[in-house]
Structures are given as structure tokens and as C-alpha cells.
Amino acid sequence: MQVDKASRAACLKAASLNDAVTGPPIRYSDRLLIDARVVTGTWPQPHMKGAKAKMLCLYHRRSKRVEVQELAYPIPPAPQAMIKDVWWQAYSIDGKPVVSGSEVTLMLGSDGKVGGKSGCNGYGASYQLDGSSLKVFPPMIGTMMACAPNLMDQEQAYRALMEKATIASLTTDGKLEVVSASGATIRFTKK
């Protein structure tokens, strides 16, 4: 118990963070007599403006030496795995709601192919996704059935925006946004 208090106090001091809090001791190495703790707080330097900090503290039980090193906050997983191989349904194209009764879908396959349905026609093309950077390679090839005029207008707008797609990203609430080179956005939910 005494070692626990000593390692906690030593880690708090060595981390030199504002509002520092230590996590519970982590069994790191009994053979080397080392305990570990994660210390969180905020950076004390004015230019850091109170940004969060996380440190790994190693406490050597025999020598009472303390070593700390910064731990990176976890980076959210890259969205590709969550975006690919999932059917998405559009609910807004360039700020306009999808025509009532119309289905506009998107699937970014792991095989580098994009496909789906827009209005009353299906489509397919190739794509490349690097991080959130998206490139759909025209032409989008698909069926060309005659549709009602409002569906044809929606379909043409959708295809024009998709062929110039530049960004695909997930919002915090799990929706997909595809942004075109013009800045127009197509918003999707999981189907």
C-alpha cells in the first residue's frame, strides 16, 4: 500500500500537468519491479491553452526512479472500414430532400466499385478512397429508363455531384456525407 501511494505521488509530480489525476496502478513488470500508471490532466504551458494531456508513468520500485512519456489520445478509426460495404440511403442532395417515394442508394465496395440506385435507374462506377478523400471515376454506367421529370432532375443532379466527389466522411451521429468539388453535399443514412 505504501508503494502505491509513493508511485502515485511520484507520477503526479513527474507528469507536471495541471489538474492531474492518476489511474489505478497497472501491473507492468514484477521481474523488473516496475509499476505503471496513466496520468491525465491539461498542459500547463500557456501556448497549449489547456489542451488535454495523457502520460504513461513508469515507477521503479527499487530505485524510486520515475519516467514519464506522452501518450497520444486515441485517434478515431479511419472511416473506410465503416463506410465500405455498407448500403447507404440518401436523404438530401445539395440541401434538397430526396423526392418522396424515390430511392437513392450508395455502396462503396471493398473491390473499388461504387454502385447503387438513383431515382429509377441503377448505376455503377469505379472509385478510390484515401482517408476521407474520395474520387469517383466517370462515367457512371447504368440503366437509363424513362422516369418522371422530378426523378430525372434529381438523378441528373445526383450523378453530376457523385462524379465530382472529393470527400466522404462520417458525421458524429453515424451518417455519411459525400461532398462534391463544388461544395454540394449528399447526406446518407445506413439503409
Side-chain angles (χ1 to χ4, degrees):
M1 193 60 132
Q2 207 59 356
V3 171
D4 185 46
K5 286 182 180 178
S7 70
R8 182 178 181 276
C11 286
L12 284 170
K13 183 178 179 182
S16 299
L17 298 174
N18 290 339
D19 305 316
V21 180
T22 63
I26 301 165
R27 193 169 177 177
Y28 188 78
S29 173
D30 284 334
R31 188 172 59 82
L32 298 174
L33 297 174
I34 296 174
D35 289 326
R37 288 178 180 270
V38 174
V39 181
T40 56
T42 57
W43 292 108
Q45 297 86 351
H47 70 278
M48 295 299 285
K49 298 180 180 168
K52 290 182 182 179
K54 187 190 287 189
M55 309 289 272
L56 173 65
C57 174
L58 300 178
Y59 178 78
H60 302 259
R61 283 183 254 160
R62 182 173 290 150
S63 68
K64 312 258 187 287
R65 253 185 50 229
V66 180
E67 294 176 32
V68 292
Q69 62 185 26
E70 183 181 356
L71 288 173
Y73 271 90
I75 298 170
Q80 294 93 315
M82 294 165 58
I83 289 175
K84 290 180 182 179
D85 297 324
V86 174
W87 276 103
W88 298 95
Q89 183 155 347
Y91 63 91
S92 137
I93 301 170
D94 195 16
K96 298 175 186 162
V98 170
V99 174
S100 179
S102 166
E103 189 173 33
V104 181
T105 59
L106 169 72
M107 161 75 85
L108 297 171
S110 294
D111 59 357
K113 302 288 183 201
V114 61
K117 185 176 181 182
S118 60
C120 62
N121 290 306
Y123 67 89
S126 296
Y127 79 95
Q128 182 179 6
L129 182 63
D130 181 17
S132 65
S133 176
L134 175 67
K135 172 122 178 99
V136 176
F137 301 101
M140 293 177 79
I141 299 167
T143 57
M144 294 302 287
M145 294 170 43
C147 300
N150 59 350
L151 290 182
M152 287 298 287
D153 292 345
Q154 172 182 276
E155 181 172 285
Q156 288 169 356
Y158 176 75
R159 286 186 181 220
L161 294 176
M162 278 301 294
E163 285 185 349
K164 292 180 175 65
T166 56
I167 299 170
S169 59
L170 288 174
T171 62
T172 54
D173 59 350
K175 294 179 179 169
L176 175 67
E177 290 186 348
V178 174
V179 180
S180 187
S182 66
T185 303
I186 306 169
R187 292 183 169 85
F188 298 86
T189 56
K190 283 187 182 176
K191 188 172 176 197

